[in-house]
C-alpha cells in the first residue's frame, strides 16, 4: 500500500486501533519535541492535518496505516514491548488526553471556541499548508484557550531549553491538540480505557496487521 492510499476500516476494532495510533503518534511526537526540539516531519504533518479535518469519520481523518506508522509502532511498543520498553511519558500523555477529553465533552462553551478556532485554522492552512509555522502557532494557541482550561494541565517534561523556546512550545501544544482530536474520534467509535485494558491483545494484533499493510 502506498502512503497516499486510504484504508477502509473493516471493523470497529480497526477504527479504534487507528484512533489509538493517532493518540500515540501525537504523544510520541510531543516527547520527541520536548526532548530534542525536533520530530518526524511527515508524522507531524499527518497530526496537523488530522486536527483540521472536522466533521469527518475516523477513516477519513486517520486514513492510512502508512500515515500512522509511527503511531502503530508506538502502540506495539507501549502495549506489547515490541521495539523497546514502554515509555512512561508517552503513556502519561495518552492517559491525560483521555481524561481531559471527558472534561471537554461537558464544556459546550469551550467546544464552541474550539470549533470556531479550527475553522480559522483551516482557512489559514489552505493558504500556507497544515504544518506551516503560522498554522502550528495558531493551533497551539487554540489548545491553550480551550483544552488547557478543562482541568489539570498536562505537564510536559523535556529539555528546559527546548521547552522555554516559543516555537517548540507552540508545536507541543498543537500536537496535544492533535492527540485530543484522535481521542475524541476514539470515543466516537466506542473506545474507552476499560475497553483498551480488556482488549489489549486484540489491539496489539490489529496494530501488527495494520503495520504490515503499511510496508
Amino acid at each position: 500500500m502506498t502512503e497516499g492510499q486510504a484504508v477502509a476500516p473493516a471493523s470497529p476494532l480497526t477504527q479504534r486501533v487507528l484512533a489509538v495510533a493517532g493518540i500515540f503518534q501525537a504523544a510520541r511526537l510531543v516527547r520527541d519535541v520536548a526532548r530534542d526540539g525536533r520530530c518526524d516531519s511527515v508524522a507531524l504533518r499527518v497530526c496537523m492535518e488530522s486536527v483540521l479535518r472536522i466533521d469527518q469519520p475516523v477513516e477519513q481523518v486517520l486514513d492510512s496505516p502508512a500515515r500512522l506508522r509511527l503511531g502503530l509502532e508506538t502502540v506495539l511498543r507501549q502495549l506489547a514491548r515490541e521495539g523497546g520498553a514502554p515509555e512512561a511519558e508517552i503513556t502519561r500523555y495518552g492517559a491525560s488526553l483521555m481524561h481531559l477529553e471527558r472534561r471537554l465533552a461537558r464544556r459546550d462553551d469551550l467546544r464552541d471556541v474550539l470549533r470556531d478556532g479550527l475553522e480559522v485554522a483551516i482557512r489559514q492552512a489552505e493558504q500556507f499548508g497544515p504544518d506551516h509555522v503560522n498554522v502550528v502557532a495558531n493551533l497551539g494557541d487554540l489548545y491553550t484557550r480551550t483544552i488547557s482550561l478543562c482541568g489539570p494541565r498536562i505537564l510536559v517534561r523535556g529539555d528546559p531549553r527546548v521547552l522555554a523556546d516559543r516555537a517548540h512550545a507552540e508545536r507541543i501544544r498543537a500536537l496535544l491538540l492533535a492527540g485530543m482530536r484522535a481521542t475524541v474520534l476514539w470515543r466516537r467509535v466506542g473506545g474507552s480505557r476499560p475497553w483498551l485494558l480488556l482488549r489489549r491483545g486484540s489491539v496489539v494484533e490489529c496494530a501488527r496487521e495494520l503495520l504490515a499493510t503499511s510496508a
Side-chain angles (χ1 to χ4, degrees):
M1 179 177 291
T2 62
E3 181 162 332
Q5 185 176 351
V7 59
S11 67
L13 173 62
T14 303
Q15 292 182 328
R16 292 172 193 172
V17 172
L18 285 171
V20 169
I23 297 170
F24 275 117
Q25 183 154 301
R28 168 71 178 273
L29 294 175
V30 167
R31 188 215 64 173
D32 292 347
V33 173
R35 285 186 180 182
D36 305 318
R38 58 181 181 273
C39 66
D40 185 306
S41 60
V42 175
L44 171 66
R45 185 180 180 91
V46 170
C47 284
M48 296 302 98
E49 288 175 344
S50 73
V51 177
L52 301 173
R53 293 179 178 178
I54 60 177
D55 296 328
Q56 295 184 27
V58 62
E59 63 267 25
Q60 293 180 22
V61 178
L62 304 170
D63 58 356
S64 165
R67 287 162 55 83
L68 290 170
R69 185 174 184 84
L70 182 66
L72 291 166
E73 290 174 346
T74 307
V75 168
L76 294 179
R77 179 169 185 169
Q78 296 300 114
L79 300 184
R81 296 179 177 268
E82 295 183 14
E87 296 193 35
E89 286 300 292
I90 293 176
T91 298
R92 185 171 63 81
Y93 296 150
S96 296
L97 286 167
M98 293 175 189
H99 176 69
L100 287 176
E101 186 275 336
R102 291 290 80 199
R103 288 175 172 261
L104 178 63
R106 299 191 292 268
R107 294 291 304 269
D108 291 343
D109 57 332
L110 293 181
R111 286 190 284 115
D112 288 342
V113 173
L114 185 57
R115 186 177 186 86
D116 290 345
L118 288 175
E119 289 176 349
V120 171
I122 289 169
R123 294 193 294 271
Q124 190 179 34
E126 289 172 351
Q127 179 178 0
F128 297 110
D131 55 350
H132 188 275
V133 60
N134 291 348
V135 178
V136 171
N138 191 5
L139 293 175
D141 178 67
L142 185 58
Y143 176 88
T144 300
R145 293 188 288 114
T146 56
I147 312 303
S148 285
L149 302 179
C150 288
R153 294 189 177 185
I154 298 176
L155 177 62
V156 175
R157 295 191 175 94
D159 185 330
R161 294 170 299 179
V162 171
L163 297 175
D165 181 89
R166 180 177 178 178
H168 293 322
E170 289 170 343
R171 188 179 303 172
I172 286 170
R173 295 187 188 105
L175 284 165
L176 289 173
L177 186 60
M180 178 58 70
R181 173 61 169 143
T183 306
V184 169
L185 289 170
W186 182 59
R187 292 284 187 182
R188 188 176 298 168
V189 296
S192 67
R193 294 180 71 176
W195 176 88
L196 186 58
L197 293 173
L198 292 172
R199 298 294 301 276
R200 184 187 187 114
S202 298
V203 170
V204 167
E205 184 59 32
C206 183
R208 286 197 193 106
E209 293 175 359
L210 289 170
L211 196 57
T213 70
S214 72

